[in-house]
DNA sequence: CGGTATCCCGAGGGATACTG
DNA sequence: CAGTATCCCTCGGGATACCG
């Protein structure tokens, strides 16, 4: 059977090029940005925390109030990740009791553009995806 | 102390608006596209599989050869997710033995743009992040 | 070839209690 | 206020073997 030629969108080519580039070298996980960088975005709370810090710099408990379901444990852990990756700054004020403020770094802000695009897509595609799931589950 | 005003980039505002919109309703996980849609992108293999299918339609074992580390089990599972979400089509050809081809749906292709942006960012930010990690770990 | 079916382990992450 | 310290349990995902 004959097959329709692929639409050659720029995005498709960009993606394909990148995969080729990665594959040309023997695959080294430590060299793969997707694994090394984007994995954290898949963590349960990272994106939400990034979004709250995108609104404005916030103190620990302010973030927690903005994302009510998170535990202190996971909030600390997620913020530490962001700080370690240089996406957010942590500043301690010597008040009593101490207050700590978190804010996005320039690098963290530079992520907001791409992230916003992806979230836009997620919202736009949400209905389609839910319908597709229903149809798939119905036909088992 | 006084604090610098925030740069009000479009992305920042878009992100902040969206978070506000989500928060206005009592948070319903089933209504949250980030949780419902983007979670799968955080799965270990989803993005890589999407990229291989972005190159061209492929048969099961072709995908596996392109992503050598994946097991048949996880490949099946990931492809099923994509199919269920309507991001990819699965077509069975009645050859002997049977051959099955997967290709991105239009919806799946529409994800390539945003995804490409994010991967661009990941590659561009990779060095910065690695340096930030080293510095953070050094100062313990 | 293109999958399922099991078994199993380690990490992600929740609950709770304690601390400087 | 802003965390640590434990305990515990689910579940993502690897290894292996089998099937139409």
């Amino acid at each position: 059977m004959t097959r329709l030629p692929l639409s050659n969108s720029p995005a498709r080519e960009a993606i394909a090029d990148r995969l080729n580039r990665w594959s040309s070298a023997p695959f080294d996980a430590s060299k793969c940005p997707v694994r090394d960088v984007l994995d954290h975005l898949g963590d349960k709370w990272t994106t939400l925390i990034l979004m709250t810090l995108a609104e404005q710099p916030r103190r620990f408990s302010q973030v927690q109030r903005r994302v009510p379901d998170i535990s202190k444990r996971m909030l600390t852990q997620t913020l530490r990740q962001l700080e370690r990756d240089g996406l957010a700054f942590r500043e301690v004020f010597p008040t009593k009791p101490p207050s700590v403020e978190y804010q996005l770094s320039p690098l963290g802000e530079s992520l907001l553009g791409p992230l916003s695009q992806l979230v836009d897509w997620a919202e736009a595609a949400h209905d389609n995806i839910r319908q597709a799931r229903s149809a798939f589950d119905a036909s088992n």
Side-chain angles (χ1 to χ4, degrees), chain A residues 46-103:
Chain A
T46 302
T47 302
L48 274 172
I49 302 302
L50 277 171
M51 291 179 74
T52 70
L53 296 184
E55 289 186 311
Q56 57 183 268
R58 284 181 192 280
R59 292 175 50 184
F60 185 89
S61 42
Q62 289 179 319
V63 178
Q64 193 169 24
R65 274 190 288 278
R66 194 81 176 114
V67 188
D69 289 357
I70 198 173
S71 66
K72 277 188 291 189
R73 181 180 178 281
M74 289 315 296
L75 181 53
T76 302
Q77 187 173 306
T78 305
L79 287 169
R80 282 287 185 286
Q81 281 277 357
L82 294 178
E83 189 196 358
R84 184 172 113 94
D85 285 0
L87 301 182
F89 296 135
R90 175 178 182 271
E91 192 173 3
V92 183
F93 298 98
T95 56
K96 242 185 204 178
S99 62
V100 179
E101 191 179 85
Y102 295 89
Q103 67 176 303

